[in-house]
Amino acid sequence: MTKILLTALLVPAMAFAQTYPSPTFSSLTLQNPLSASSGGTGVANSSTITLGGNLVTSGANALTFTTTGATNITLPTSGTLLNNSSGAMSGANSNITSLSGLTTPLSVGQGGTGVTTSTGTGSVVFSNSATLVTPALGTPSSATLTNATGLPVATGISGLGTGVAAGLANAVTGSGGPVLATSPTLAGTPLAPTAAVGSNGSQISTTAFVANHSPCPSIMDNGGNNTGGGDNRTAFATTAALGPSGQACVYFPPGNYAFGGNASYTLPSASANITIIGAGPGLTALQWAGGGGMTINFVGLRNSALIQDMSFITGSANVGSGLTLNQTYSNTSAPGNFLNTTVKNLVFAGSDFTGNATSWSDFWNTGLHIAGVSNVNIYDSTFYGAAGTNGVGINLTGSSGAQALAINLHGDTFNLLGNAGIIYNEYVQGLAVTSSNFTGDAIGIEVVNPNVQQDELVVTNSQFNCYSFGILDEIGVGGLIIHGNYFLIPAASGYSSNPTGVLLQKVNGAIVAGNVFQLYSSPATGTIGIEISGSSTIPGIITGNIFAQLTAGIDLLSSSNYINVQSNNYVSNTSNVLNSANGGTSVCPPTGSANCIGTAATP
């Protein structure tokens, strides 16, 4: 009995020692706080759940942590954070795709930067093409700046020469290479220092340098207009004032320069001088629509002028003087004691002179007027008129206080002047004309009344083809020498019934020698080589000349006397010598062709 009871008592004990499988909960709701011995905290609604050990879920029973407010979940600081299916994928924390709310920066060892802020865009600096915003790179050991931008020249480049950074900071100008190039092209108006006068180096020549080395300041640099418009009087005065005191100089480059009236310049002192030059009479033209011309006023013994290489053009008929040289200084104590004035390579004409001469209508009343100025040399200049009308090439005048002495002409031309090529007035002495031409003029050279201190006229090696008189002496100028000239005498016309080579209304020791007087065009009616029409106070001589095909080679009128005619050659003249002279006249031979020596009686 006892054994049966013992056995019965042991059966439940064996039953309690049996092993049961682990339960699986798909949903567990705790009504009370889980005690610490059961793995809980024993506190309801705690804000922190601390899992000591592993929290494992299996099957489809995912573990979801939902936090609100200030609820925290603290994960282990060691061990492996597993995913919901197969454990760690590749090391610790490999399945974390994003982090937020970190209060402590993620260290560099944990894959962070150690800081809580970031700069720039794009990938982290481990990227090959990072974009950094205002980084401070320090001093890199090496760098390639192929695509770098924004380098400040003034502060970002070291080792530049003085002023280079400032120059590089300016806008680019011009084209071509930099100024280090052999042949740079600079745009606009670049400035360069002007070398001093006297320099002869290879540096750049500025406009100021060229002006300083030119013969004169250019009127074009001082408001001049060379297109034929405007009024250049102010520009002319401005340019003349640029030179040193008393040394005016004006250059007219090629072009047409219009003037609204007379362009007058008065030399500022008794020793002042002026030079006016152009580029040549075919290139530089000074033009006056109303015939105003240019006037240079002399004020002392030491004044002089040089005027050359230009044209003086008028748009009017028989108005004004192209150029006037006017002496305002009274020089009775030492007449003619002046510096030389030169007029060279000038043209005086009307604006229409380039066409057919028969259609010309514009001309100066006087091309060049010399009023009391002495020691004037006139070279290689041309004076045009208009056929059959008025017009004077050169008008020489003087006064008792300002005599015009020593006027020399060489290589000048006088064409189609209806009055005279040269008019020789009172108080003029010492006119010499050489190697000049007088063609189509009414009179080549005329010495006019009144007879007041005209003296010394020498005409040599010149050519005359004038329809009234080659040379006309109305007063018997003292010291008259006509030598080595060629006189072509045209047939009588409506302009003159007795065209004559030389007409001496008086003779005062005149010498007419070694000239040729020849008919220019048939018929010879009325043509005369030399005519003497007035009495003489000092005997004159006509010798060594040739007279050909004329009505009369020499015509001595009844009012003439004291003329010695000898050793001339006569060819095919109607009359070689017509002698009606009144006493003291010797003609040798009186007729025929033989030569002889004759002596005129002393008055």
Side-chain angles (χ1 to χ4, degrees):
M1 183 65 176
T2 301
K3 293 182 180 179
I4 295 172
L5 179 61
L6 180 61
T7 301
L9 292 173
L10 290 174
V11 171
M14 295 176 63
F16 286 114
Q18 184 177 351
T19 300
Y20 297 95
S22 299
T24 299
F25 300 98
S26 61
S27 176
L28 178 64
T29 301
L30 299 180
Q31 298 294 328
N32 296 306
L34 189 64
S35 66
S37 60
S38 301
T41 63
V43 180
N45 300 322
S46 174
S47 60
T48 301
I49 298 176
T50 302
L51 302 178
N54 295 329
L55 180 62
V56 179
T57 64
S58 63
N61 299 310
L63 180 61
T64 300
F65 295 99
T66 301
T67 64
T68 60
T71 302
N72 295 324
I73 297 176
T74 301
L75 299 177
T77 58
S78 61
T80 300
L81 183 64
L82 304 178
N83 64 16
N84 61 357
S85 60
S86 59
M89 295 183 66
S90 58
N93 306 329
S94 63
N95 201 36
I96 299 176
T97 59
S98 64
L99 294 175
S100 63
L102 296 178
T103 59
T104 301
L106 194 62
S107 67
V108 174
Q110 294 171 330
T113 62
V115 296
T116 59
T117 60
S118 63
T119 184
T121 61
S123 303
V124 296
V125 293
F126 301 117
S127 172
N128 289 333
S129 301
T131 300
L132 306 179
V133 179
T134 62
L137 299 180
T139 304
S141 60
S142 63
T144 300
L145 302 178
T146 303
N147 295 318
T149 60
L151 177 67
V153 173
T155 58
I157 303 177
S158 62
L160 297 177
T162 302
V164 174
L168 293 176
N170 292 324
V172 175
T173 182
S175 60
V179 293
L180 299 178
T182 303
S183 301
T185 299
L186 304 179
T189 55
L191 300 178
T194 298
V197 174
S199 301
N200 190 25
S202 58
Q203 70 263 47
I204 294 174
S205 296
T206 64
T207 54
F209 180 87
V210 173
N212 290 339
H213 287 73
S214 298
C216 292
S218 171
I219 191 173
M220 292 300 296
D221 293 333
N222 300 284
N225 182 339
N226 65 350
T227 64
D231 184 352
N232 282 280
R233 285 182 292 180
T234 298
F236 171 69
T238 300
T239 309
L242 291 178
S245 178
Q247 296 176 316
C249 197
V250 181
Y251 172 55
F252 286 85
N256 299 320
Y257 298 85
F259 291 84
N262 182 264
S264 178
Y265 181 81
T266 299
L267 293 163
S269 69
S271 59
N273 307 282
I274 186 170
T275 293
I276 304 172
I277 58 176
L283 298 176
T284 298
L286 278 57
Q287 300 175 329
W288 286 265
M294 178 178 288
T295 300
I296 307 299
N297 293 310
F298 291 67
V299 297
L301 290 173
R302 306 298 295 174
N303 291 154
S304 69
L306 170 62
I307 305 171
Q308 68 179 48
D309 299 330
M310 62 184 63
S311 296
F312 288 75
I313 304 299
T314 178
S316 299
N318 199 29
V319 177
S321 298
L323 174 63
T324 298
L325 305 177
N326 179 46
Q327 180 61 262
T328 64
Y329 175 74
S330 179
N331 183 33
T332 56
S333 61
N337 192 17
F338 293 91
L339 293 179
N340 284 339
T341 287
T342 299
V343 174
K344 182 178 181 181
N345 198 27
L346 304 182
V347 170
F348 298 85
S351 58
D352 55 359
F353 86 102
T354 56
N356 190 329
T358 59
S359 65
W360 293 352
S361 60
D362 297 332
F363 61 96
W364 294 102
N365 175 270
T366 301
L368 172 61
H369 183 194
I370 298 176
V373 178
S374 296
N375 297 345
V376 181
N377 301 299
I378 306 166
Y379 299 136
D380 306 325
S381 296
T382 302
F383 302 82
Y384 286 102
T389 59
N390 294 316
V392 176
I394 299 176
N395 190 16
L396 305 175
T397 64
S399 66
S400 59
Q403 299 184 36
L405 311 180
I407 313 297
N408 303 301
L409 281 75
H410 180 83
D412 300 297
T413 301
F414 302 83
N415 288 336
L416 302 175
L417 295 159
N419 195 332
I422 301 172
I423 294 183
Y424 192 125
N425 288 281
E426 60 185 8
Y427 295 105
V428 177
Q429 297 182 10
L431 172 62
V433 180
T434 63
S435 303
S436 296
N437 286 269
F438 300 80
T439 303
D441 306 322
I443 303 171
I445 301 173
E446 181 180 10
V447 183
V448 300
N449 275 314
N451 181 7
V452 182
Q453 297 191 25
Q454 292 105 315
D455 200 9
E456 302 169 10
L457 170 60
V458 177
V459 183
T460 61
N461 302 321
S462 296
Q463 179 268 331
F464 295 83
N465 181 3
C466 300
Y467 54 79
S468 290
F469 307 101
I471 298 175
L472 170 61
D473 180 4
E474 298 176 359
I475 66 169
V477 63
L480 174 62
I481 298 175
I482 302 173
H483 177 264
N485 302 288
Y486 186 34
F487 293 86
L488 286 170
I489 303 172
S493 66
Y495 297 116
S496 176
S497 58
N498 294 107
T500 303
V502 174
L503 173 58
L504 306 180
Q505 293 183 351
K506 292 184 179 181
V507 176
N508 189 12
I511 298 174
V512 183
N515 304 285
V516 175
F517 299 85
Q518 182 177 353
L519 179 69
Y520 173 64
S521 60
S522 298
T525 304
T527 56
I528 301 172
I530 299 174
E531 180 175 287
I532 310 297
S533 63
S535 62
S536 302
T537 56
I538 299 175
I541 185 170
I542 301 172
T543 185
N545 302 286
I546 298 175
F547 301 89
Q549 301 172 327
L550 303 173
T551 299
I554 300 173
D555 187 5
L556 304 177
L557 301 182
S558 59
S559 58
S560 64
N561 59 5
Y562 304 120
I563 305 298
N564 186 344
V565 179
Q566 62 179 16
S567 302
N568 298 293
N569 194 341
Y570 306 92
V571 178
S572 303
N573 301 295
T574 303
S575 297
N576 293 332
V577 178
L578 297 174
N579 185 8
S580 301
N582 181 18
T585 297
S586 173
V587 178
C588 190
T591 60
S593 60
N595 292 323
C596 66
I597 297 175
T599 302
T602 302

